[in-house]
């Protein structure tokens, strides 16, 4: 019964194209890092993530303070002698979002006062085994190792849910994996490949569907091949596009092409790219889809950070705080800083315009504080001089408006 279910599921997830083989989602997933539709989108997210800096912080009265000399601080430059933290982000996102098995983090501790090393394992290089509700062992394939007992505390397995599990995180068969978002959208990736092959075939074959060359006389097999080859060589490809075709010896040409709207898969390929981008959480405008204007791309970059990057980093700092908890026993914590991200900064003129309605309802100090938070301008508190309200009738203080004028020393003519 399970075999039949799996067979039906596979068939339902494939779309038959003519008499050829169906779109192969399994082939797409097996070579996910070689699929341009996935990698173009995921590289946009990787670049956005690499703009954000992690560090060690501690709570202070007005927020948090960075601890630049903490034992773990070097980890956010190089996680080990071979891999930078930016490379770690790259590996993490590609493997986590592209593979069902997720990623495996390994903490290698040295001397207590020295920074540990952190390693990330390829999803195809490990298997997680369960007994009941607990992980019993982790098998690393190359070089072969079995991780059991207390050693498991130095590992963290991070993967997407698998909705076929008997309950959360548990498959019921002793071995379990997740189910990546990209797998759910894999049919669109397979569609991209088929559409690309279609368009490439058109480009090679005259840049459009072919026609029929016919003659009233007999043409044997060798002659037919020679005519076809010469015709293709003389008229095929971009260099010959639009050139007139001259035939002789009674040879006639019948065009079998259809209207471009019927044969051009470019639109279909573009839509498939957009759906693949959506599967990675990247707005289509950033991969050339949608209405890709400057303003739309500007908004899309901000959307990428708010909808995808920040939630991912919230998860990542939680995972790292847990895995590195033995080094964070005095109130320190791992966090990230967004102040250097230009895409999240508001345009100053737009901010001032938005704040204009409240300008005469808050003090000067409060107004300057709002402006500083919403832009990268640092405006200091003016102290008591700033604890006054500006009114819209010119830049004067509210005290000056309500205060009675002193005319005791003015002359009668002046009054």
């Amino acid at each position: 019964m399970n075999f039949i279910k799996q067979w039906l599921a596979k068939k339902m997830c494939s779309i038959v194209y003519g008499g050829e083989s169906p779109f192969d989602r399994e082939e797409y997933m097996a070579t996910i890092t070689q699929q341009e539709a996935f990698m173009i989108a995921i590289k946009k997210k990787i670049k956005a993530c690499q703009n954000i800096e992690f560090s060690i912080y501690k709570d202070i009265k007005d927020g948090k303070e960075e601890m630049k000399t903490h034992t773990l601080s070097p980890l956010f430059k190089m996680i080990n002698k071979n891999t930078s933290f930016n490379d770690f982000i790259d590996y993490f996102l590609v493997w986590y979002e592209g593979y069902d098995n997720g990623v495996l983090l390994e903490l290698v501790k040295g001397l207590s006062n020295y920074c540990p090393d952190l390693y990330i394992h390829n999803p195809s290089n490990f298997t997680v085994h369960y007994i009941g509700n607990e992980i019993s062992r982790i098998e690393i394939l190359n070089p072969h190792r079995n991780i059991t007992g207390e050693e498991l505390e130095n590992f963290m397995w991070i993967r997407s849910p698998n909705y076929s599990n008997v309950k959360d995180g548990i498959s019921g068969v002793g071995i379990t994996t997740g189910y990546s978002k990209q797998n759910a959208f894999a049919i669109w990736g397979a569609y991209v490949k088929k559409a690309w092959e279609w368009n490439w075939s058109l480009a090679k074959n005259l840049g459009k569907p072919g026609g029929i060359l016919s003659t009233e006389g007999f043409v044997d097999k060798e002659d037919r091949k020679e005519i076809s080859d010469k015709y293709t060589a003389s008229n095929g490809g971009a260099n010959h596009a639009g050139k007139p075709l001259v035939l002789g010896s009674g040879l006639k040409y019948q065009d079998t092409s259809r209207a471009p709207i019927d044969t051009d898969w470019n639109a279909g390929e573009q839509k498939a790219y957009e759906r693949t981008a959506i599967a990675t959480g990247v707005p289509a405008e950033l991969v050339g889809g949608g209405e890709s204007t400057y303003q739309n791309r500007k908004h899309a970059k901000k959307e990428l950070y708010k909808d995808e990057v920040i939630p991912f980093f919230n998860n990542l700092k939680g995972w790292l705080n847990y895995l590195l908890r033995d080094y964070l026993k005095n109130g320190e914590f791992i966090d990230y800083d967004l102040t250097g991200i230009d895409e999240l900064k508001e345009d100053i003129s737009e901010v001032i315009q938005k704040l204009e309605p409240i300008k005469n309802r808050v003090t000067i100090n409060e107004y300057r504080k709002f402006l500083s938070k919403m832009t990268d301008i640092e405006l200091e508190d003016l102290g008591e001089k700033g604890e006054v309200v500006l009114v819209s009738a010119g830049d004067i203080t509210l005290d000056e408006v309500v205060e009675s004028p002193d005319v005791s020393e003015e002359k009668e003519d002046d009054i």
Side-chain angles (χ1 to χ4, degrees), residues 129-383:
H129 299 262
Y130 271 81
I131 294 179
N133 295 335
E134 303 292 334
I135 295 178
S136 60
R137 66 184 175 96
I138 297 174
E139 183 181 8
I140 297 176
L141 306 179
N142 185 23
H144 189 267
R145 297 161 58 194
N146 274 309
I147 313 301
T148 59
E150 293 183 358
E151 194 179 0
L152 289 171
E153 295 182 2
N154 295 324
F155 288 80
M156 174 170 280
W157 181 38
I158 304 169
R159 84 288 189 197
S160 298
N162 187 330
Y163 304 108
S164 298
N165 285 344
V166 295
K167 62 180 178 179
D168 56 303
I170 308 299
S171 67
V173 295
I175 298 175
T176 187
T177 63
Y179 194 80
S180 70
K181 292 185 297 182
Q182 196 58 215
N183 200 331
F185 281 76
I187 194 65
W188 289 110
Y191 179 91
V192 169
K193 184 177 180 181
K194 184 67 72 172
W196 186 89
E197 289 175 350
W198 171 274
N199 285 326
W200 175 238
S201 180
L202 292 184
K204 291 189 298 182
N205 296 293
L206 314 182
K208 65 176 184 177
I212 300 174
L213 292 169
S214 61
T215 181
E216 294 180 359
F218 173 76
V219 181
D220 60 24
K221 182 177 180 181
E222 289 74 17
D223 288 339
R224 288 198 300 271
K225 186 177 186 309
E226 181 181 358
I227 293 172
S228 176
D229 291 345
K230 287 183 177 179
Y231 174 77
T232 301
S234 300
N235 299 280
N239 292 334
H240 297 288
K243 289 185 178 180
L245 174 65
V246 179
L247 301 175
S249 302
L251 197 62
K252 299 178 181 179
Y253 174 75
Q254 179 183 352
D255 188 4
T256 62
S257 65
R258 293 172 290 174
I261 193 171
D262 296 324
T263 59
D264 183 14
W265 276 38
N266 284 329
E269 185 176 353
Q270 181 61 49
K271 288 297 181 183
Y273 264 94
E274 292 176 10
R275 285 165 173 78
T276 307
I278 290 171
T280 65
V282 176
E285 291 85 353
L286 299 183
V287 294
E291 294 293 330
S292 189
T293 64
Y294 171 78
Q295 286 298 329
N296 285 348
R297 289 193 300 274
K298 181 180 177 182
H299 176 76
K301 289 178 181 178
K302 185 179 296 185
E303 179 184 332
L304 173 61
Y305 275 102
K306 291 184 176 180
D307 292 349
E308 285 291 324
V309 174
I310 293 176
F312 166 69
F313 269 43
N314 286 337
N315 288 331
L316 181 58
K317 74 176 183 180
W319 295 325
L320 293 178
N321 273 301
Y322 181 80
L323 184 61
L324 297 163
R325 59 193 180 278
D326 288 344
Y327 296 84
L328 303 167
K329 294 184 176 181
N330 296 310
E332 316 98 318
F333 57 92
I334 297 170
D335 206 348
Y336 57 89
D337 182 18
L338 296 173
T339 56
I341 307 304
D342 292 336
E343 288 81 1
L344 295 178
K345 295 175 182 176
E346 299 282 355
D347 184 90
I348 297 176
S349 61
E350 293 179 2
V351 172
I352 293 176
Q353 185 176 0
K354 290 177 182 178
L355 291 177
E356 191 65 30
I358 69 168
K359 191 173 183 180
N360 60 352
R361 293 176 173 81
V362 297
T363 67
I364 296 176
N365 284 337
E366 289 171 335
Y367 181 82
R368 290 165 68 88
K369 187 175 182 179
F370 288 142
L371 192 59
S372 296
K373 282 187 174 181
M374 298 177 67
T375 67
D376 56 355
I377 299 177
E378 295 185 6
L379 299 175
E380 296 180 357
D381 191 291
L382 299 179

